Amino acid sequence: AIDSTHKSARELLRTTREVTRPSFESSAHWSNDSDQNTSFWQTLTGNTALGGGVGLFGSVNALQTSDPALEATRFGAEAGVSLKSGPLFASGAGGARRLNPEIAPSRTAATYRGRVSYRPVPRLGFGAGYARQPFDEIAGLIERELDMESLEGTPDVRPTNRLTVYGGAGAVWLSDGNSRTSFSAGLNQRIGRRIFAGVFGRT
């Protein structure tokens, strides 16, 4: 307002607008595995900042999948909110997926997820997340009408500016009574300005 031609002020205004304006991203993926499960899915996501560390986000997605015997489709949408306050970050989202198998009846399944992370100091962080969604990666799974719940925890440590060590523990419960637990660990090392190398393992 004082000087509309001030170079630094105009650069700061442009940067602020770029960070706070709504953004959208679209993606498309195709896969084919050794069991001849072929899938093609598309996703459109968007987010916007409301100020005060509060943000809104949402997405829509579609999946077409088939194997030698079955075909199925899936359509879904979700919306959520995120909050950042100092070292604490939290987000939550809810939505639904419409599953259309070839033989079993079509159904609509609710989805929801939440995550909390805490970083008391820049070199140490903790995170935990919970999610519920249908188990619907391929046509055969969509036919089986399975839902799954997952819970995970992920600490990470940055001993130096170039090295990050992280781990994780999680569990998945399926609606047919099956379950899975897992543990993981890894590290990333930055080499130069643009190159990263790392290792990862899970059991």
Side-chain angles (χ1 to χ4, degrees):
I2 296 173
D3 182 2
S4 61
T5 63
H6 193 284
K7 182 178 179 180
S8 297
R10 294 182 64 85
E11 290 177 352
L12 178 59
L13 179 61
R14 183 168 55 253
T15 301
T16 303
R17 286 175 174 171
E18 289 176 354
V19 171
T20 58
R21 69 186 179 187
S23 64
F24 297 91
E25 180 179 340
S26 63
S27 62
H29 306 268
W30 177 86
S31 70
N32 185 55
D33 64 21
S34 58
D35 291 327
Q36 300 182 50
N37 292 298
T38 302
S39 299
F40 177 60
W41 68 99
Q42 313 89 48
T43 305
L44 174 65
T45 61
N47 64 78
T48 185
L50 299 181
V54 179
L56 298 178
F57 60 90
S59 68
V60 293
N61 62 82
L63 167 74
Q64 301 86 39
T65 180
S66 64
D67 61 32
L70 300 168
E71 294 184 356
T73 60
R74 180 196 75 202
F75 303 95
E78 76 164 5
V81 61
S82 63
L83 173 64
K84 189 178 189 316
S85 178
L88 182 66
F89 176 82
S91 66
R97 293 182 185 176
R98 182 64 176 175
L99 307 174
N100 302 300
E102 185 174 7
I103 299 174
S106 297
R107 70 184 182 109
T108 300
T111 66
Y112 41 86
R113 58 189 175 94
R115 184 163 187 84
V116 177
S117 62
Y118 179 65
R119 188 169 294 278
V121 295
R123 296 188 183 277
L124 177 64
F126 304 93
Y130 169 81
R132 182 191 184 278
Q133 62 188 32
F135 195 18
D136 55 4
E137 296 178 352
I138 58 176
L141 291 174
I142 293 177
E143 288 283 346
R144 296 186 61 186
E145 302 183 16
L146 295 174
D147 294 317
M148 66 178 182
E149 295 180 87
S150 62
L151 181 66
E152 63 169 351
T154 55
D156 69 87
V157 182
R158 300 175 183 172
T160 70
N161 292 334
R162 294 176 174 269
L163 177 65
T164 300
V165 181
Y166 58 93
V172 174
W173 299 271
L174 297 176
S175 56
D176 64 355
N178 284 300
S179 63
R180 180 191 72 203
T181 56
S182 62
F183 301 91
S184 62
L187 62 86
N188 283 335
Q189 173 71 46
R190 188 174 68 181
I191 305 171
R193 296 181 59 186
R194 302 178 182 272
I195 300 175
F196 293 82
V199 294
F200 173 80
R202 189 179 76 166
T203 181

